Amino acid sequence: GVISAVNFDNSCVLTLTPGTTSNYHAFLVGRHKGEIKNCSSAASVVVNNLEDAATATQYYGVLVGRNYGGVVENSVVTGDITCSQTGVALAKNVCVGGITGGQADNGGIKACEFKGNITFSDGTDFGGISAAKVYFYVGGIVGYVENGKVVSCTSGAEGVSTKIDVRGTLVPAVGGVAGWGVTNKSTEISDCTNYMSLSYASNGARADTTPCRLGGITSHSAAPVVNCNNYGPM
């Protein structure tokens, strides 16, 4: 199906509390296989009590929760994403993106813009579970890219102060455009630009081996990253 020219104003708020099964949440589509074009959102997404996501991976976006082979193009998000956390260890990953939380099945995101802020609020640091197995994938456009293309997208705007600020999580993987991109020959991030500032701070006790990954375009990718520019401070 096609979703076109749907707009959410800043009076709209999507408030979520994670469950114990895989969740796909966004204003337009939870799981997307069609086409979204020329849409916009100035609305806010609020995710409460992330510790409730104890047994299943969570996907949170403003327009799309998880993009399964669909296309999202020419769409703009200016609203903020705020996540809270309160000190109980997570057992599964959390994927958060300004456009979509995750992308799979060779989906595409084209000519989209995210001009809001993504903030993980202060809280007691998570503990009790191996940090190497639990990630927060956070990106201005998409949180986690399994495969597919992210093309001609922009996070932030020149001369405008926007940020991705992650605090108190186990293992953050933060990218201005994509939080994480995996090895796949059909995957590519190209002609994208980031202006957002990226920051990470832990709270409470943390293991010395706990890694933190920050990247102006993406925190990790074994797939091509082509003709991209980062202007965001870290």
Side-chain angles (χ1 to χ4, degrees), residues 125-138:
D125 196 47
F126 295 114
I129 286 181
S130 172
K133 297 181 180 179
V134 184
Y135 283 83
F136 276 66
Y137 301 105
V138 185

Side-chain angles (χ1 to χ4, degrees), residues 178-203:
W180 189 275
V182 300
T183 305
N184 189 294
K185 62 184 179 181
S186 64
T187 300
E188 181 177 298
I189 301 171
S190 61
D191 300 299
C192 293
T193 302
N194 174 58
Y195 293 100
M196 301 182 72
S197 65
L198 309 179
S199 61
Y200 167 72
S202 65
N203 299 302

Side-chain angles (χ1 to χ4, degrees), residues 82-93:
T82 304
C83 302
S84 67
Q85 49 200 288
T86 54
V88 178
L90 292 168
K92 289 293 183 178
N93 303 325

Side-chain angles (χ1 to χ4, degrees), residues 1-230:
V2 177
I3 299 174
S4 178
V6 176
N7 306 294
F8 296 92
D9 66 25
N10 61 9
S11 69
C12 299
V13 179
L14 180 62
T15 302
L16 305 167
T17 298
T20 56
T21 59
S22 292
N23 285 336
Y24 312 94
H25 289 303
F27 272 102
L28 277 180
V29 184
R31 296 177 65 174
H32 173 58
K33 297 185 178 182
E35 182 179 359
I36 293 172
K37 58 183 181 180
N38 303 321
C39 293
S40 69
S41 177
S44 299
V45 174
V46 179
V47 184
N48 292 318
N49 302 322
L50 277 171
E51 75 277 7
D52 290 341
T55 59
T57 299
Q58 312 290 302
Y59 296 88
Y60 303 110
V62 177
L63 298 183
V64 175
R66 195 179 187 193
N67 186 23
Y68 282 94
V71 175
V72 185
E73 60 181 337
N74 296 321
S75 296
V76 179
V77 171
T78 58
D80 296 336
I81 302 174
T82 304
C83 302
S84 67
Q85 49 200 288
T86 54
V88 178
L90 292 168
K92 289 293 183 178
N93 303 325
V94 175
C95 308
V96 177
I99 302 297
T100 178
Q103 176 163 294
D105 293 350
N106 297 315
I109 306 173
K110 303 177 181 178
C112 290
E113 298 178 53
F114 176 68
K115 298 180 180 180
N117 299 285
I118 302 176
T119 305
F120 281 68
S121 65
D122 290 317
T124 304
D125 196 47
F126 295 114
I129 286 181
S130 172
K133 297 181 180 179
V134 184
Y135 283 83
F136 276 66
Y137 301 105
V138 185
I141 301 297
V142 54
Y144 188 89
V145 181
E146 294 178 41
N147 52 53
K149 298 184 184 297
V150 182
V151 180
S152 300
C153 293
T154 303
S155 296
E158 187 173 7
V160 177
S161 178
T162 53
K163 65 181 180 179
I164 301 177
D165 184 21
V166 180
R167 297 174 181 271
T169 60
L170 271 177
V171 185
V174 180
V177 174
W180 189 275
V182 300
T183 305
N184 189 294
K185 62 184 179 181
S186 64
T187 300
E188 181 177 298
I189 301 171
S190 61
D191 300 299
C192 293
T193 302
N194 174 58
Y195 293 100
M196 301 182 72
S197 65
L198 309 179
S199 61
Y200 167 72
S202 65
N203 299 302
R206 293 176 61 86
D208 293 338
T209 57
T210 300
C212 169
R213 298 172 172 88
L214 296 176
I217 303 300
T218 181
S219 71
H220 166 91
S221 183
V225 177
V226 181
N227 195 33
C228 294
N229 295 286
N230 173 53

